[in-house]
Amino acid sequence: MADKAATLTYDNKSIELPVLEGSVGPEVIDIRKLYGQTGAFTYDPGYKSTASCESALTYIDGDEGVLLHRGYPIGQLAEHSSFMEVSYLLLNGELPSKQELDDFSYTISRHTMLHEQLMTFYRGFRRDAHPMAIMCGVVGALSAFYHDSTDISDPEQRKIASHRLIAKMPTIAAMAYKYAVGQPFLYPDNSLSYTGNFLRMTFGVPAEPYEVNPVVEKAMDRIFILHADHEQNASTSTVRLAGSSGANPFACIAAGIACLWGPAHGGANEAALNMLREIGTPDRIPHYIERAKDKNDPFRLMGFGHRVYKNYDPRATVMQKTVREVFESLKVTDPLFETALQLEELALNDPYFIEKKLFPNVDFYSGIILSAIGFPTTMFTALFALARTVGWVAQWNEMISDPGQVIGRPRQLYTGPTERDYVPLGQR
Ligand code: ACO
């Protein structure tokens, strides 16, 4: 922390505001005492200039296109690590030793099953329910089943709840898929990797053995790594805000899932692939680029632009490379990939996108891979939720472990009517 200060002059009064310094990144003006000293609030809808918390998990430099988890660049983690290893790193702060990784993976594998009674929840949903609707409901309902891990003041219970959430998400998501396609649920197979088990629960059937394709398993694991955490994004902030009131972890993660569902956030991968399908062939791209630039047209290039990245999203780079690997291994091609590449090239050379610093984000290419693997578009955001769960629980744990943690309670700029007297119904 620096011993610098910023001076704010307001209402003929000057006050000193401490300036805090993180390990890297912009300095932060501490305005916590502003209201007490001036009676004024700050105004920052969408938190464009506001640090809502202190965190040691993930660092993003949006201008340079840098994403670090506990200091490690996302490109290196995606290349050399595994989702289990990244999960350990996010939760514990350091990369695990071989023994620590084995123990952690074993522990997670012991929590993959769902309480049998939870299975009956699925039957209450329509078969055409969106998997995210099911995820919100079933994850929220975990708090009705795992009472022994809802005391948030007990670090051991917090750890068990975190492990349960990470472990059960693949089972919950795979079951949402199975329910939609009318196939029987498959129980987890703990002899497989975290990701291999998920693929089997999703695409396997009881009638025949399922062989995990190692290239698909690696690609899927990499997609999970790329989505594991992303600093104080909308859904993570939702989890923190829900958790700040002392709500139990399962309820908090259900809140995060609800937020992630939106098309401006996690729902963008589904929207991006739907958009590519709508565009269809490369000759139609210019028309859609014109539409995206037209202020009177609500159409936006989905998978383009980011609140923080004003440069190429480093996750999109890895994602584009992974598309090629999966296509080669599965010996498939998808004309939409060609459309996506051309759309990217045209947009990146268009003054509108250059000036507004709009680059492809993680969602631009993820849908193409997920579709090649066999997932329907409705599952895309559910996969994102599965992977982001580790980030959510790590951030939630970090917040609860902070002795200075208080309930999140933003203020507002009120623009409604001032006080007025009630008018009886007959006199209005
Ligand atoms: N297509 C066309 N124009 C865009 C796009 C886009 N995808 N994204 C932003 N713009 C324009 C806006 O119209 C705005 O123009 P203006 O300054 O003339 O009004 C300008 O760029 C800034 O856009 P904002 O919406 O103010 O930027 P913000 O940081 O609030 O939004 C967001 C970021 C929501 C991601 C936005 O870029 C978007 O809607 N992208 C498409 C959806 C998407 O891909 N979301 C995934 C994000 S990544 C994730 O959640 C995993």
Coordinates of all heavy atoms in Angstrom, one line a residue, residues 118-183:
L118 N -32.1 -35.6 -5.4 CA -31.9 -34.4 -6.3 C -32.3 -34.8 -7.7 O -32.7 -33.9 -8.5 CB -30.5 -33.9 -6.2 CG -30.2 -32.6 -5.5 CD1 -28.7 -32.4 -5.4 CD2 -30.9 -31.4 -6.0
M119 N -32.1 -36.1 -8.0 CA -32.4 -36.5 -9.4 C -33.9 -36.2 -9.7 O -34.2 -35.9 -10.9 CB -32.2 -38.0 -9.5 CG -30.9 -38.5 -9.0 SD -29.7 -38.4 -10.3 CE -28.4 -39.4 -9.7
T120 N -34.7 -36.3 -8.7 CA -36.2 -36.2 -9.0 C -36.5 -34.7 -9.3 O -37.5 -34.4 -9.9 CB -37.0 -36.6 -7.7 OG1 -36.6 -35.8 -6.6 CG2 -36.8 -38.0 -7.4
F121 N -35.6 -33.8 -9.0 CA -35.8 -32.4 -9.3 C -36.0 -32.2 -10.8 O -36.8 -31.4 -11.3 CB -34.7 -31.5 -8.9 CG -34.8 -31.0 -7.5 CD1 -35.0 -31.8 -6.4 CD2 -34.8 -29.6 -7.3 CE1 -35.2 -31.3 -5.2 CE2 -35.0 -29.1 -6.0 CZ -35.1 -29.9 -5.0
Y122 N -35.1 -33.0 -11.5 CA -35.1 -32.8 -13.0 C -36.5 -33.1 -13.6 O -36.9 -32.4 -14.6 CB -34.1 -33.7 -13.6 CG -32.6 -33.2 -13.4 CD1 -32.0 -33.3 -12.2 CD2 -32.0 -32.6 -14.4 CE1 -30.7 -32.9 -12.0 CE2 -30.7 -32.1 -14.2 CZ -30.1 -32.2 -13.0 OH -28.8 -31.7 -12.8
R123 N -37.2 -34.0 -13.1 CA -38.5 -34.4 -13.7 C -39.5 -33.3 -13.5 O -40.5 -33.3 -14.2 CB -39.0 -35.7 -13.0 CG -38.1 -36.8 -12.8 CD -38.4 -38.1 -13.5 NE -37.3 -39.0 -13.4 CZ -36.4 -39.2 -14.4 NH1 -36.5 -38.5 -15.5 NH2 -35.5 -40.1 -14.2
G124 N -39.2 -32.3 -12.7 CA -40.1 -31.2 -12.6 C -40.0 -30.2 -13.7 O -40.8 -29.2 -13.8
F125 N -38.9 -30.3 -14.4 CA -38.7 -29.3 -15.5 C -39.3 -29.8 -16.8 O -39.4 -31.0 -17.1 CB -37.2 -29.1 -15.7 CG -36.5 -28.3 -14.6 CD1 -35.8 -29.0 -13.7 CD2 -36.6 -27.0 -14.5 CE1 -35.2 -28.3 -12.6 CE2 -36.0 -26.3 -13.5 CZ -35.3 -27.0 -12.5
R126 N -39.7 -28.9 -17.7 CA -40.1 -29.3 -19.0 C -38.8 -29.8 -19.8 O -37.7 -29.4 -19.5 CB -40.6 -28.0 -19.8 CG -42.0 -27.6 -19.5 CD -42.3 -26.3 -20.0 NE -42.1 -26.2 -21.5 CZ -42.9 -25.6 -22.4 NH1 -44.0 -25.0 -21.9 NH2 -42.6 -25.5 -23.6
R127 N -39.1 -30.7 -20.7 CA -37.9 -31.3 -21.4 C -37.2 -30.2 -22.2 O -36.0 -30.3 -22.5 CB -38.4 -32.4 -22.4 CG -38.9 -33.6 -21.7 CD -37.7 -34.6 -21.4 NE -38.2 -35.7 -20.6 CZ -37.5 -36.6 -20.0 NH1 -36.2 -36.6 -20.1 NH2 -38.0 -37.6 -19.3
D128 N -37.9 -29.2 -22.6 CA -37.3 -28.1 -23.4 C -36.8 -27.0 -22.6 O -36.5 -25.9 -23.1 CB -38.2 -27.6 -24.6 CG -39.5 -27.0 -24.0 OD1 -39.7 -27.0 -22.8 OD2 -40.3 -26.4 -24.8
A129 N -36.6 -27.2 -21.3 CA -36.1 -26.1 -20.4 C -34.7 -25.8 -20.8 O -33.9 -26.7 -21.2 CB -36.1 -26.6 -18.9
H130 N -34.3 -24.5 -20.7 CA -32.9 -24.2 -21.0 C -32.0 -24.8 -19.9 O -32.4 -24.7 -18.7 CB -32.8 -22.6 -21.0 CG -31.5 -22.2 -21.7 ND1 -30.3 -22.3 -21.0 CD2 -31.2 -21.7 -22.9 CE1 -29.3 -21.9 -21.8 NE2 -29.9 -21.5 -23.0
P131 N -30.9 -25.4 -20.2 CA -30.0 -26.0 -19.2 C -29.6 -25.0 -18.1 O -29.5 -25.3 -16.9 CB -28.8 -26.4 -20.0 CG -29.2 -26.5 -21.4 CD -30.3 -25.6 -21.6
M132 N -29.5 -23.7 -18.4 CA -29.2 -22.7 -17.4 C -30.3 -22.5 -16.4 O -30.1 -22.2 -15.2 CB -28.8 -21.3 -18.0 CG -27.5 -21.3 -18.7 SD -26.1 -21.6 -17.5 CE -25.8 -20.0 -16.9
A133 N -31.6 -22.7 -16.9 CA -32.7 -22.6 -15.9 C -32.6 -23.8 -15.0 O -32.8 -23.6 -13.7 CB -34.0 -22.7 -16.7
I134 N -32.2 -25.0 -15.5 CA -32.1 -26.1 -14.6 C -30.9 -26.0 -13.7 O -31.0 -26.3 -12.5 CB -31.9 -27.4 -15.5 CG1 -33.2 -27.6 -16.3 CG2 -31.6 -28.6 -14.6 CD1 -33.1 -28.9 -17.2
M135 N -29.8 -25.4 -14.2 CA -28.6 -25.2 -13.4 C -28.9 -24.3 -12.2 O -28.6 -24.5 -11.0 CB -27.5 -24.6 -14.2 CG -27.0 -25.4 -15.4 SD -25.9 -26.8 -15.0 CE -24.4 -25.9 -14.7
C136 N -29.6 -23.2 -12.5 CA -30.0 -22.2 -11.4 C -30.8 -22.9 -10.3 O -30.5 -22.8 -9.1 CB -30.9 -21.1 -11.9 SG -30.2 -19.9 -12.9
G137 N -31.8 -23.7 -10.8 CA -32.7 -24.4 -9.8 C -31.9 -25.5 -9.0 O -32.0 -25.5 -7.8
V138 N -31.2 -26.3 -9.7 CA -30.6 -27.5 -9.0 C -29.4 -27.0 -8.1 O -29.3 -27.5 -7.0 CB -30.1 -28.6 -10.1 CG1 -29.4 -29.7 -9.4 CG2 -31.3 -29.1 -10.8
V139 N -28.6 -26.1 -8.6 CA -27.5 -25.6 -7.8 C -28.0 -24.9 -6.5 O -27.5 -25.1 -5.4 CB -26.5 -24.8 -8.6 CG1 -25.5 -24.1 -7.7 CG2 -25.9 -25.6 -9.7
G140 N -29.1 -24.1 -6.7 CA -29.7 -23.4 -5.5 C -30.2 -24.5 -4.5 O -30.1 -24.3 -3.3
A141 N -30.7 -25.6 -5.1 CA -31.3 -26.6 -4.2 C -30.3 -27.4 -3.5 O -30.6 -28.1 -2.5 CB -32.2 -27.6 -5.1
L142 N -29.0 -27.3 -3.9 CA -28.0 -28.1 -3.2 C -28.0 -27.7 -1.7 O -27.7 -28.5 -0.8 CB -26.6 -27.8 -3.8 CG -26.3 -28.4 -5.2 CD1 -24.9 -27.9 -5.6 CD2 -26.4 -29.9 -5.2
S143 N -28.3 -26.4 -1.4 CA -28.3 -26.0 0.0 C -29.4 -26.7 0.8 O -29.3 -26.7 2.0 CB -28.5 -24.5 0.1 OG -29.5 -24.0 -0.8
A144 N -30.3 -27.3 0.2 CA -31.3 -28.1 0.9 C -30.9 -29.5 1.2 O -31.6 -30.3 1.8 CB -32.6 -28.1 0.1
F145 N -29.7 -29.9 0.6 CA -29.2 -31.2 0.8 C -27.9 -31.4 1.6 O -27.7 -32.4 2.1 CB -29.0 -31.9 -0.6 CG -30.3 -32.2 -1.3 CD1 -31.0 -31.2 -2.0 CD2 -30.9 -33.4 -1.2 CE1 -32.2 -31.5 -2.6 CE2 -32.1 -33.7 -1.8 CZ -32.7 -32.7 -2.5
Y146 N -27.1 -30.3 1.5 CA -25.8 -30.4 2.1 C -25.7 -29.5 3.3 O -24.8 -28.6 3.3 CB -24.7 -30.2 1.0 CG -24.8 -31.3 -0.1 CD1 -25.4 -31.0 -1.3 CD2 -24.4 -32.6 0.2 CE1 -25.6 -32.0 -2.2 CE2 -24.6 -33.6 -0.8 CZ -25.2 -33.2 -2.0 OH -25.3 -34.2 -3.0
H147 N -26.5 -29.7 4.3 CA -26.6 -28.8 5.4 C -25.3 -28.7 6.2 O -25.0 -27.8 6.9 CB -27.7 -29.2 6.4 CG -29.0 -29.3 5.8 ND1 -29.9 -30.3 6.0 CD2 -29.6 -28.5 4.9 CE1 -31.0 -30.1 5.3 NE2 -30.9 -29.0 4.6
D148 N -24.5 -29.8 6.1 CA -23.2 -29.9 6.8 C -22.1 -29.0 6.2 O -21.0 -29.1 6.7 CB -22.8 -31.3 7.0 CG -22.6 -32.0 5.7 OD1 -23.1 -31.5 4.7 OD2 -21.9 -33.1 5.6
S149 N -22.4 -28.3 5.1 CA -21.4 -27.4 4.6 C -22.0 -26.0 4.3 O -21.6 -25.4 3.3 CB -20.7 -28.0 3.4 OG -21.7 -28.4 2.4
T150 N -22.9 -25.6 5.1 CA -23.5 -24.2 4.9 C -23.1 -23.2 6.0 O -23.6 -22.1 5.9 CB -25.0 -24.3 4.7 OG1 -25.5 -25.0 5.8 CG2 -25.4 -25.0 3.4
D151 N -22.3 -23.7 7.0 CA -21.9 -22.7 8.0 C -20.7 -22.0 7.5 O -19.6 -22.5 7.5 CB -21.6 -23.5 9.3 CG -21.1 -22.5 10.4 OD1 -21.0 -21.3 10.1 OD2 -20.7 -23.0 11.5
I152 N -20.9 -20.8 7.0 CA -19.8 -20.1 6.3 C -18.8 -19.6 7.3 O -17.7 -19.1 6.8 CB -20.4 -18.9 5.5 CG1 -21.0 -17.8 6.3 CG2 -21.3 -19.4 4.4 CD1 -21.1 -16.5 5.6
S153 N -19.0 -19.6 8.6 CA -18.0 -19.1 9.5 C -16.9 -20.2 9.8 O -15.9 -20.0 10.4 CB -18.6 -18.7 10.8 OG -19.2 -19.8 11.4
D154 N -17.2 -21.4 9.3 CA -16.3 -22.6 9.5 C -15.5 -22.8 8.2 O -16.0 -23.3 7.2 CB -17.1 -23.8 9.9 CG -16.3 -25.1 10.1 OD1 -15.1 -25.0 9.8 OD2 -16.8 -26.1 10.5
P155 N -14.1 -22.5 8.3 CA -13.3 -22.7 7.0 C -13.4 -24.1 6.5 O -13.4 -24.3 5.2 CB -11.9 -22.4 7.5 CG -12.1 -21.7 8.8 CD -13.4 -22.1 9.4
E156 N -13.5 -25.1 7.3 CA -13.6 -26.5 6.8 C -14.9 -26.7 6.0 O -14.9 -27.3 5.0 CB -13.5 -27.5 8.0 CG -13.2 -28.9 7.7 CD -12.0 -29.2 6.8 OE1 -11.0 -28.4 6.9 OE2 -12.0 -30.2 6.0
Q157 N -16.0 -26.2 6.5 CA -17.2 -26.3 5.8 C -17.2 -25.6 4.5 O -17.8 -26.0 3.5 CB -18.4 -25.8 6.7 CG -18.7 -26.7 7.9 CD -20.1 -26.6 8.4 OE1 -21.0 -26.3 7.6 NE2 -20.3 -26.9 9.6
R158 N -16.5 -24.4 4.5 CA -16.4 -23.6 3.3 C -15.6 -24.4 2.2 O -16.0 -24.5 1.1 CB -15.7 -22.3 3.5 CG -16.5 -21.3 4.3 CD -16.1 -19.9 4.0 NE -14.7 -19.6 4.3 CZ -14.2 -19.2 5.5 NH1 -15.0 -19.0 6.5 NH2 -12.9 -18.9 5.6
K159 N -14.6 -25.1 2.7 CA -13.8 -25.9 1.8 C -14.6 -27.1 1.2 O -14.6 -27.3 0.0 CB -12.5 -26.4 2.5 CG -11.5 -27.1 1.6 CD -10.2 -27.1 2.3 CE -9.9 -28.5 2.8 NZ -8.6 -28.7 3.4
I160 N -15.3 -27.7 2.1 CA -16.1 -28.9 1.6 C -17.2 -28.4 0.6 O -17.4 -29.0 -0.4 CB -16.7 -29.7 2.8 CG1 -15.6 -30.3 3.7 CG2 -17.7 -30.7 2.3 CD1 -16.1 -30.9 5.0
A161 N -17.8 -27.3 0.9 CA -18.8 -26.7 0.0 C -18.2 -26.4 -1.3 O -18.8 -26.7 -2.4 CB -19.5 -25.5 0.6
S162 N -17.0 -25.8 -1.3 CA -16.3 -25.5 -2.6 C -16.0 -26.8 -3.4 O -16.2 -26.8 -4.6 CB -15.0 -24.8 -2.3 OG -15.2 -23.6 -1.5
H163 N -15.5 -27.8 -2.7 CA -15.2 -29.0 -3.4 C -16.5 -29.6 -4.0 O -16.5 -30.2 -5.1 CB -14.5 -30.0 -2.4 CG -13.1 -29.6 -2.0 ND1 -12.4 -30.1 -1.0 CD2 -12.3 -28.6 -2.6 CE1 -11.2 -29.6 -0.9 NE2 -11.1 -28.6 -1.8
R164 N -17.5 -29.6 -3.2 CA -18.8 -30.2 -3.6 C -19.2 -29.5 -4.9 O -19.7 -30.1 -5.9 CB -19.8 -30.1 -2.6 CG -19.7 -31.1 -1.5 CD -20.8 -31.0 -0.5 NE -20.8 -32.2 0.4 CZ -21.2 -32.2 1.7 NH1 -21.6 -31.1 2.2 NH2 -21.2 -33.3 2.3
L165 N -19.2 -28.2 -4.9 CA -19.7 -27.4 -6.0 C -18.9 -27.7 -7.3 O -19.4 -28.0 -8.4 CB -19.7 -25.9 -5.7 CG -20.9 -25.4 -4.9 CD1 -20.6 -24.2 -4.1 CD2 -22.1 -25.2 -5.9
I166 N -17.5 -27.7 -7.1 CA -16.6 -28.0 -8.3 C -16.9 -29.4 -8.8 O -17.0 -29.6 -10.0 CB -15.2 -27.8 -7.9 CG1 -14.9 -26.4 -7.5 CG2 -14.2 -28.3 -9.0 CD1 -13.5 -26.2 -6.8
A167 N -17.1 -30.3 -7.9 CA -17.3 -31.7 -8.3 C -18.6 -32.0 -8.9 O -18.7 -32.9 -9.8 CB -17.0 -32.6 -7.0
K168 N -19.6 -31.4 -8.3 CA -21.0 -31.7 -8.8 C -21.5 -31.0 -10.0 O -22.4 -31.4 -10.7 CB -22.0 -31.5 -7.6 CG -21.8 -32.5 -6.5 CD -22.8 -32.3 -5.4 CE -22.3 -32.9 -4.1 NZ -21.9 -34.3 -4.2
M169 N -20.8 -29.9 -10.4 CA -21.2 -29.2 -11.5 C -21.3 -30.0 -12.8 O -22.2 -29.9 -13.6 CB -20.3 -27.9 -11.7 CG -20.7 -26.8 -10.9 SD -22.5 -26.4 -11.1 CE -22.4 -24.7 -11.4
P170 N -20.2 -30.8 -13.1 CA -20.3 -31.6 -14.3 C -21.4 -32.6 -14.3 O -22.1 -32.8 -15.3 CB -18.9 -32.4 -14.3 CG -18.0 -31.6 -13.5 CD -18.9 -30.9 -12.4
T171 N -21.7 -33.2 -13.1 CA -22.8 -34.1 -13.0 C -24.2 -33.3 -13.3 O -25.0 -33.8 -14.1 CB -22.9 -34.7 -11.6 OG1 -21.5 -35.1 -11.2 CG2 -23.7 -36.0 -11.6
I172 N -24.3 -32.2 -12.7 CA -25.5 -31.4 -12.8 C -25.7 -31.0 -14.3 O -26.8 -31.1 -14.9 CB -25.5 -30.2 -11.9 CG1 -25.6 -30.6 -10.4 CG2 -26.7 -29.2 -12.2 CD1 -25.3 -29.5 -9.4
A173 N -24.6 -30.5 -14.9 CA -24.7 -30.0 -16.3 C -25.0 -31.2 -17.3 O -25.8 -31.1 -18.2 CB -23.4 -29.3 -16.7
A174 N -24.3 -32.3 -17.1 CA -24.5 -33.5 -17.9 C -25.9 -33.9 -17.8 O -26.6 -34.3 -18.8 CB -23.5 -34.6 -17.6
M175 N -26.5 -33.9 -16.6 CA -27.9 -34.4 -16.4 C -28.8 -33.5 -17.1 O -29.9 -33.9 -17.6 CB -28.1 -34.6 -14.9 CG -27.5 -35.8 -14.4 SD -27.6 -36.0 -12.5 CE -29.3 -35.9 -12.2
A176 N -28.5 -32.2 -17.1 CA -29.4 -31.2 -17.7 C -29.5 -31.5 -19.2 O -30.5 -31.5 -19.9 CB -28.9 -29.8 -17.5
Y177 N -28.3 -31.9 -19.8 CA -28.3 -32.3 -21.2 C -29.1 -33.6 -21.5 O -29.9 -33.7 -22.4 CB -26.8 -32.5 -21.6 CG -26.7 -33.0 -23.0 CD1 -26.9 -32.3 -24.1 CD2 -26.3 -34.4 -23.2 CE1 -26.8 -32.8 -25.4 CE2 -26.2 -34.9 -24.5 CZ -26.4 -34.1 -25.6 OH -26.3 -34.7 -26.8
K178 N -28.8 -34.6 -20.6 CA -29.5 -35.9 -20.8 C -31.0 -35.7 -20.7 O -31.7 -36.4 -21.4 CB -29.0 -36.9 -19.7 CG -27.6 -37.4 -19.9 CD -27.5 -38.2 -21.2 CE -26.3 -39.0 -21.4 NZ -26.0 -39.3 -22.8
Y179 N -31.4 -34.9 -19.8 CA -32.9 -34.7 -19.6 C -33.5 -34.1 -20.9 O -34.5 -34.5 -21.3 CB -33.1 -33.8 -18.4 CG -34.6 -33.7 -18.1 CD1 -35.2 -34.8 -17.5 CD2 -35.3 -32.5 -18.3 CE1 -36.6 -34.7 -17.2 CE2 -36.6 -32.4 -18.0 CZ -37.3 -33.5 -17.4 OH -38.6 -33.5 -17.2
A180 N -32.7 -33.2 -21.5 CA -33.3 -32.5 -22.7 C -33.4 -33.5 -23.9 O -34.3 -33.4 -24.7 CB -32.4 -31.3 -23.1
V181 N -32.4 -34.4 -24.0 CA -32.4 -35.3 -25.1 C -33.1 -36.6 -24.8 O -33.2 -37.5 -25.7 CB -30.9 -35.6 -25.7 CG1 -30.3 -34.4 -26.2 CG2 -30.1 -36.2 -24.6
G182 N -33.6 -36.7 -23.6 CA -34.4 -37.9 -23.3 C -33.6 -39.2 -23.1 O -34.2 -40.3 -23.3
Q183 N -32.4 -39.1 -22.7 CA -31.5 -40.3 -22.5 C -31.4 -40.4 -21.0 O -31.5 -39.5 -20.2 CB -30.2 -40.1 -23.1 CG -30.2 -40.2 -24.6 CD -28.8 -40.0 -25.2 OE1 -27.8 -39.8 -24.5 NE2 -28.8 -40.0 -26.5

